[in-house]
Amino acid sequence: LFTMFSAPFVDLLNGLWGNVVPFGKLVRTSLVFFNMFFILLHVPAKMQKKTVVLYCIAFYLVIHSLAIELLSAGNTLIHNFYFDLKFLLFLSEMLLIMSCIERKILLADDLERFWKFNCWFVPVSLIGTNILNISNTSSYSNAGLYSSVNAMSIILIIQFILSIFYAGKSVWYWGAVLLNVVAVALLGTKSPYLFIAFVVLALLLFYSKHRLRILSLFTIGIILAVVFLGSFFADTMSRLIEYQRYHVMLVLNNGNTILGYLTSGRNIMLQSAWNSIKENSLQLIMIIFGVGHSSLSGIEMDFFEILFSFGVTITAVVYGMVFSIFRLKSLNKALNLFLNLALI
């Protein structure tokens, strides 16, 4: 629970001094080993198979990275190792949390406190660093001290969903909804708006008890967000709007596809990665076992990065573990709707 609450603070410290001390890499490495050890201590009998699968994946990743290093021109081991750690951190954290919930070590109230804290702290810290014009030390980021715009967009969308749910119990959480929408706008990326539209549509379709309330309050929230952004971030929003307008005009005038615009050109990088595999004589082996993350460039789509890096087998196993979480149900039907939207 402590490591969960400390996660945004680690990101902020990494943004401030990560070029001097690699806080993120040190913490990530420590957490993976910590998680793998405590999973063995706390794994319930019904989850022992998942634990075996996790250790098999970890062993596979080690052998896989070493094999890629030997078969390639070299200098790939460190890059692949860090990507493996990110991958293992997600899997081990997921399994450890599920084990602790099953053992009653981690309670639903603990997780709710964690998300309620983040629903306020993360957008406030992101907006605050933008107001103070403080950015990540390694590279300028619209996410402020948080380095990854794509990762932050996912977190903010999850918090947007949960904030709406908490607002059903306390009207003050509509303030958190507003803050998360403002933070999303400051990121300047397109995909979060599609998710927000999907979430609102799903709530209107399946959360009929509060349909009118959600629609009216969300409309008011959007208006307030526009006023707030126009008052405090007019220059930033003008720059972001101009950036998007420029790329829309490229689509209209230069024959670029809508898909290329929506994916920011990642579809081209994805096609390039696939072509390099398809044209190789070891095509089948590459599809089954992957080519290593060091061979990919700029795709930034989790599913395809995992698929091309580690192969079909590992991808199928991992996504099978992820989708199994959808079977976990609360007694509260409304909560199930919000949690499933957040998982999606």
Side-chain angles (χ1 to χ4, degrees), residues 52 78 86 95 126 139 151 171 180 182 189-190 221 229 258 279 282-283 304 329:
V52 172
I78 299 300
K86 290 181 181 179
L95 194 57
L126 191 150
S139 61
V171 69
N180 281 281
V182 169
T189 56
K190 301 175 290 293
L229 289 165
I258 293 295
E279 294 165 4
L282 300 175
Q283 175 189 134
F304 291 108
K329 294 295 181 183

Side-chain angles (χ1 to χ4, degrees), residues 19 40 56 107 114 119 141 144 152 185 203 205 244 274 286:
N19 60 335
L40 288 179
C56 287
L107 304 178
F114 165 74
C119 283
S141 171
M152 290 309 300
L203 293 178
L205 289 173
Q244 296 299 339
W274 169 242
M286 288 181 167

Side-chain angles (χ1 to χ4, degrees), residues 33-45:
F33 287 103
F34 171 90
N35 290 347
M36 300 288 277
F37 174 71
F38 277 89
I39 284 171
L40 288 179
L41 294 182
H42 298 300
V43 63

Side-chain angles (χ1 to χ4, degrees), residues 5-71:
F5 272 96
S6 63
F9 295 100
V10 172
D11 280 347
L12 292 173
L13 285 173
N14 197 54
L16 274 174
W17 297 299
N19 60 335
V20 179
V21 180
F23 290 102
K25 292 176 181 177
L26 291 173
V27 171
R28 187 184 303 130
T29 304
S30 301
L31 277 178
V32 168
F33 287 103
F34 171 90
N35 290 347
M36 300 288 277
F37 174 71
F38 277 89
I39 284 171
L40 288 179
L41 294 182
H42 298 300
V43 63
K46 63 187 292 186
M47 296 183 65
Q48 286 179 351
K49 288 183 179 179
K50 284 187 172 69
T51 302
V52 172
V53 170
L54 174 64
Y55 272 85
C56 287
I57 290 174
F59 179 74
Y60 172 85
L61 295 185
V62 172
I63 300 301
H64 187 267
S65 292
L66 290 172
I68 295 295
E69 173 73 11
L70 292 173
L71 294 172

Side-chain angles (χ1 to χ4, degrees), residues 14 19 129 147 151 191 217-218 227 243 247 256 266 298 321 328:
N14 197 54
N19 60 335
T129 52
S147 59
S191 56
L217 287 174
F218 183 72
V227 171
Y243 174 84
H247 284 85
N256 294 345
R266 293 186 182 91
M321 291 175 66
L328 300 176

Side-chain angles (χ1 to χ4, degrees), residues 254-270:
N254 296 341
N256 294 345
T257 63
I258 293 295
L259 180 62
Y261 169 70
L262 292 176
T263 61
S264 300
R266 293 186 182 91
N267 61 316
I268 298 172
M269 298 173 189
L270 178 61

